């Protein structure tokens, strides 16, 4: 009986503060919400912001990182507690076993932390890239265009959709890291052909293919939603890079800047005011999916 009490005391000493803190915060949130008796003044869901999908993935990765850190700190503490319990109760102890298990846990958690950190950095790069392109695309509003961000699709999302008198554009954004400074102009240049992106670190074909798939999906969806034929044009944004066209491009590939000049020169469908209104209505309905607090 004494041994059991000692074990419970050791566990309470290790885990007690954590559960106490969690209980205080949760209780405060519950009673504070009931006391205020307030609700949001907004009656409609909000439009999706640039990088909305990546932001949610970013937050989930942060939660996983916090869980991994808690795992590293709590489990070794528990093993030390059990070791102390065995020693105090006169039971046979095997310190090497506890040390071995603790080291295994720490190395496993360290590997997971490194993987999650790498994933977090990649998501942050993509999120920043989408926000940078969105800021530039919003300049098109001055010329009567409409711009929507993070449009959900059957398989993911379209980063940006631009609607104007010269057509509908599905804009895919790709964030790609550069090499360190001081390596010359070639290190910040991407050569574009009809099918490839030739970065200094390698060749990619997937972004061009993805942009075309997204435009095809958007064309089909808008045609069905509006009841008129809509042909969306693909576009690809590579923020921060110097884009050099090696061949006649099969789509608009740019670094996100000067959209007012570039979008006025492209497009494969003339749209009237009523058609633009119908298309924007469907896009607005589909993008209004951010729940208010």
């Amino acid at each position: 009986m004494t041994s059991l009490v000692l074990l419970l005391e050791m566990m309470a000493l290790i885990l007690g503060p954590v559960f106490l803190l969690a209980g205080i915060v949760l209780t405060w949130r519950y009673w504070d919400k009931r006391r205020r008796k307030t609700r949001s003044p907004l009656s409609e869901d909000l439009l999706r912001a640039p990088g909305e999908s990546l932001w949610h993935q970013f937050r989930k990765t942060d939660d996983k990182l916090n869980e991994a850190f808690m795992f590293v700190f709590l489990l070794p503490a528990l093993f030390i507690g059990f070791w102390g319990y065995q020693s105090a109760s006169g039971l046979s102890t095997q310190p090497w076993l506890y040390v071995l298990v603790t080291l295994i846990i720490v190395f496993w958690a360290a590997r997971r932390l490194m993987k999650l950190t790498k994933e977090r950095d990649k998501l942050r790069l993509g999120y920043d890239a989408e926000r940078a392109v969105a800021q530039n695309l919003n300049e098109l509003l001055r010329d009567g265009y409409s711009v929507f961000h993070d449009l959900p699709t059957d398989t993911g999302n379209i980063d940006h959709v631009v609607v104007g008198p010269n057509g509908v554009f599905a804009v895919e954004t790709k964030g790609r890291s550069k090499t360190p400074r001081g390596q010359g102009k070639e290190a910040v240049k991407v050569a574009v052909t009809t099918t490839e992106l030739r970065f200094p670190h390698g060749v990619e074909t997937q972004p061009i293919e993805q942009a075309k798939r997204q435009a095809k999906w958007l064309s089909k969806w808008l045609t069905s939603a509006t009841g008129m034929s809509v042909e969306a044009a693909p576009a690809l944004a590579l923020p921060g890079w110097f884009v050099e066209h090696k061949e006649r491009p099969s789509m608009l590939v740019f670094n996100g800047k000067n959209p007012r000049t570039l979008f006025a020169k492209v497009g494969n469908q003339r749209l009237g005011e009523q058609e633009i209104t119908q298309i924007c209505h469907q896009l607005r309905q589909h993008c209004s999916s951010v729940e208010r607090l």
Side-chain angles (χ1 to χ4, degrees):
M1 188 66 182
T2 305
S3 299
L4 179 60
V5 172
L6 182 61
L7 174 61
L8 291 174
E9 288 177 351
M10 293 290 294
M11 291 184 67
L13 234 122
I14 296 169
L15 298 177
V18 176
F19 288 116
L20 179 62
L21 178 62
I24 291 173
V25 172
L26 290 174
T27 303
W28 175 82
R29 287 189 63 184
Y30 172 77
W31 285 110
D32 185 63
K33 190 173 181 180
R34 289 199 61 180
R35 177 181 59 80
R36 288 187 289 116
K37 294 182 179 179
T38 58
R39 61 186 178 88
S40 173
L42 307 176
S43 58
E44 297 179 354
D45 288 337
L46 307 176
L47 284 171
R48 297 175 71 83
E52 185 83 29
S53 298
L54 288 177
W55 174 246
H56 288 296
Q57 293 179 47
F58 185 79
R59 291 182 61 185
K60 287 180 181 177
T61 304
D62 266 350
D63 290 340
K64 291 178 182 178
L65 277 168
N66 291 334
E67 290 171 4
F69 274 118
M70 289 293 292
F71 197 75
V72 170
F73 286 115
L74 287 180
L75 280 188
L78 278 175
F79 280 124
I80 293 171
F82 282 121
W83 182 15
Y85 156 71
Q86 285 189 330
S87 300
S89 59
L91 299 176
S92 174
T93 60
Q94 296 177 321
W96 65 267
L97 179 61
Y98 289 100
V99 173
L100 178 63
V101 173
T102 300
L103 286 176
I104 290 173
I105 291 172
V106 168
F107 280 115
W108 173 85
R111 184 179 177 184
R112 179 168 173 78
L113 285 169
M114 287 187 287
K115 181 180 177 181
L116 288 171
T117 301
K118 186 177 180 180
E119 180 183 342
R120 185 183 185 275
D121 291 342
K122 184 178 178 181
L123 289 170
R124 183 56 189 262
L125 174 62
Y127 176 65
D128 288 345
E130 288 192 30
R131 289 186 64 190
V133 172
Q135 289 177 179
N136 289 318
L137 288 178
N138 285 341
E139 293 179 10
L140 291 167
L141 300 175
R142 298 164 61 184
D143 297 329
Y145 286 81
S146 294
V147 183
F148 300 89
H149 306 289
D150 205 69
L151 179 79
T153 69
D154 296 336
T155 57
N157 67 290
I158 300 176
D159 296 333
H160 320 279
V161 178
V162 176
V163 184
N166 55 332
V168 179
F169 303 88
V171 184
E172 182 67 23
T173 296
K174 292 298 179 185
R176 294 293 183 267
S177 299
K178 294 179 180 178
T179 54
R181 295 179 184 274
Q183 298 189 20
K185 293 182 178 179
E186 294 300 318
V188 297
K189 186 183 295 184
V190 52
V192 181
T193 70
T194 55
T195 58
E196 295 179 341
L197 302 174
R198 298 173 183 171
F199 290 95
H201 55 263
V203 177
E204 295 186 36
T205 59
Q206 190 269 342
I208 292 178
E209 295 168 359
Q210 183 180 3
K212 291 180 178 179
R213 286 197 307 270
Q214 301 285 43
K216 186 176 180 180
W217 182 92
L218 184 59
S219 300
K220 184 178 179 181
W221 180 77
L222 281 175
T223 297
S224 174
T226 62
M228 62 184 184
S229 178
V230 178
E231 187 177 352
L236 180 62
L238 306 169
W241 288 87
F242 179 80
V243 178
E244 181 182 46
H245 291 282
K246 293 294 185 180
E247 300 174 2
R248 184 178 179 84
S250 58
M251 67 173 73
L252 173 62
V253 181
F254 68 122
N255 64 0
K257 295 184 178 180
N258 302 317
R260 298 180 67 191
T261 301
L262 294 173
F263 277 83
K265 298 177 180 179
V266 294
N268 51 9
Q269 186 177 16
R270 300 302 301 179
L271 296 174
E273 186 175 341
Q274 185 176 356
E275 292 171 319
I276 292 175
T277 300
Q278 292 178 12
I279 290 171
C280 289
H281 173 74
Q282 294 299 330
L283 290 170
R284 189 171 291 106
Q285 291 291 108
H286 200 58
C287 283
S288 297
S289 57
V290 180
E291 296 182 1
R292 57 199 183 280
L293 295 177

